[in-house]
Amino acid sequence: MIIATYVKHVPDAEARLAADGGRIAVDDHAYALDGMDEYGVEAAVRLKEAGLADEVVALAIGPARSEAALRTALALGADRAVLLETDDDLDPLAQAGPLAEATRACGAELLLVGGKQADWDSAALGPAVAEALGWPVCDWTTELRLEGREVAAVHDVDDGSEAWSASLPVVVTTQQGLNEPRYPTLPNIMKAKRKPLERRPLTATARVVTLAAALPSRARRGVRLEGDAATVASELARRLRDEAKVL
Amino acid sequence: MILIAIDHAHGAPRRGAFELVSAARGLGSDVAAVVLGGPEAAPVAAALAAFVPSVVHVDDAALDHPSHERRTTALASVAGELGAEVVLLVAGRGGQAVAPRLALRLGGTLLEDVAAVRRDGTAVVAERLAYLSRASLTVRATAAPVVVSVKPGAYPAAAPADAPGSVASRSVAFTAADDAARPGERRSVARGRVALEEADVVVCGGRGLGDAASFERLVVGLADELGAGVASTRAVVDAGWRPYDEQVGQTGKSVAPKLYFALGVSGAVQHLSGMNRSGTVVAVNKDGDAPIFKASDYGIVGDVREVLPALRAALAGLD
Ligand SMILES: Cc1cc2nc3c(=O)[nH]c(=O)nc-3n(C[C@H](O)[C@H](O)[C@H](O)COP(=O)(O)OP(=O)(O)OC[C@H]3O[C@@H](n4cnc5c(N)ncnc54)[C@H](O)[C@@H]3O)c2cc1C
Ligand SMILES: Nc1ncnc2c1ncn2[C@@H]1O[C@H](COP(=O)(O)O)[C@@H](O)[C@H]1O
């Protein structure tokens, strides 16, 4: 059984952003493998280590720099990587077709996708690619077991959690709680440099156009209340009622 | 026409349904609502008829707690039949999974997790947050129909319409692919407390609470007194003090209550991205340099163990 795991090269949480002519500009050095994708790589590698999978293929869509995220996935234990290379900002629906095609091409029957991308802030990619593949999707997954071809999972729903099961092939979106991702060790980082990484040019058309971009900062009152606990507490209670009018 | 997909629980629409009515009215007057579920959903359809001209109830017990695939098929069938130009869903967990499938199935475009949606001529334009909610983007869909998932709390709940609408029942045919996934047992969070996304007031505790017992006593205690939702940070969830479904932030829920208390919370970017649309934010932290203060309206530098009991007394003493 082959597992495909999708990785994205995204700005890290502390990256400096600038709004620049209808686009968000990010300091080029501040990119890293999306934290949400690490859970998928870890899940795939653990299934392989347990003898339940034969190969782990890391897939990415993005510009040339995305190779760094794929190398991280390889250092974490993926066997080979494929980059569908494009400089365009593609919305999740536009990525779904090419990603589905690449998933089929590598023969994968389990596709792991991060629960929410840290750049487009979207939880859409996993479900969108599941639709393109015609497979069921288990979203926001916190437990994943494989027995033969049967997948048993637990995932978050709006007011709690739900058990979920299906036969392969399936798409699973990953999140915190699924596992504790490992760190790449130095020898594995060196080994990853020699693992196969294939780059294919991608032409796809975005379905969503960004018209404007801004870095809003909600104006906060920024009031500091000082004094002993009883004084600040009654001052706060009064201001919440009379000034903010929220009580 | 504008079609809104109604989430419901225990025989009543969820608050998000009425927020969608507001969003839909801003896009056009030809609004229909679709309600999925067996007989238990009939009162939901009836309730919606007071708000929109037409309600479609897909009356099938196979749609009680359905898989994303079944829900997609049912919504696609209604949207296709009515010729919907725009389909609105609430961007909760379920809506976020169904909206992309539905948009692809209909051959349209997805605008997901939007804070506002409007028409610009015939085009549909929306505002959405990106980069861990640090940036705001104005986005336009390039092809119809447009499926839009709307952030909970982005719109006020609508008032009933002047004239009541009609309810029609219909059925839908599922395929084998719709039944590939088998949803199983559900575990709901403690009933009796308001759902986090629907709460007007949210009390969030962080690692600064020290342990699970103090969290229970101080954070849950204050929340219960205010009829508020309880939230936590990832640090608290990772420590096992609280369940995952209370976590607010990038990997957790996104909330926008009128009042948000951040107690013993440092204010990491990943946490702020889930709460920075809140109305008034109050922070209590013993470290005056904690980043949460920059994201707050009222900040108290102090120990939660001293400030919280005093605050409860002060709130109880307000007349
Ligand atoms: C991929 C990824 C996703 C993430 N997603 C989320 C998410 O969804 N939600 C989330 O919350 N985090 C998330 N995080 C984690 C986030 O980066 C922070 O680590 C986390 O929010 C910190 O939680 P905290 O504020 O409770 O703990 P800490 O950062 O440890 O802060 C505790 C605060 O309490 C204060 N304090 C201590 N004692 C007291 C006292 N007695 N009285 C008053 N104040 C006190 C301290 O000064 C400190 O500021 C994510 C991280 C990653 C990498
Ligand atoms: N085995 C490791 N190799 C490299 N870096 C590590 C390793 N373990 C932890 N770190 C780093 O140490 C920091 C703290 O890790 P943690 O204790 O897991 O929160 C993280 O920022 C990691 O990048």
Side-chain angles (χ1 to χ4, degrees), chain B residues 168-202:
Chain B
S169 259
R170 72 190 293 290
S171 59
V172 66
F174 296 108
T175 65
D178 296 328
D179 295 331
R182 299 175 298 271
E185 193 197 337
R186 274 188 179 228
R187 270 180 296 145
S188 289
V189 292
R191 246 191 258 162
R193 186 169 296 127
V194 57
L196 203 47
E197 297 93 327
E198 300 187 0
D200 282 334
V201 181
V202 168

Side-chain angles (χ1 to χ4, degrees), chain A residues 32-56:
Chain A
L33 169 61
D34 195 328
M36 288 292 242
D37 297 336
E38 288 179 16
Y39 304 107
V41 176
E42 180 67 32
V45 172
R46 285 191 195 183
L47 287 169
K48 188 181 167 193
E49 286 169 348
L52 296 166
D54 305 304
E55 188 183 34
V56 175

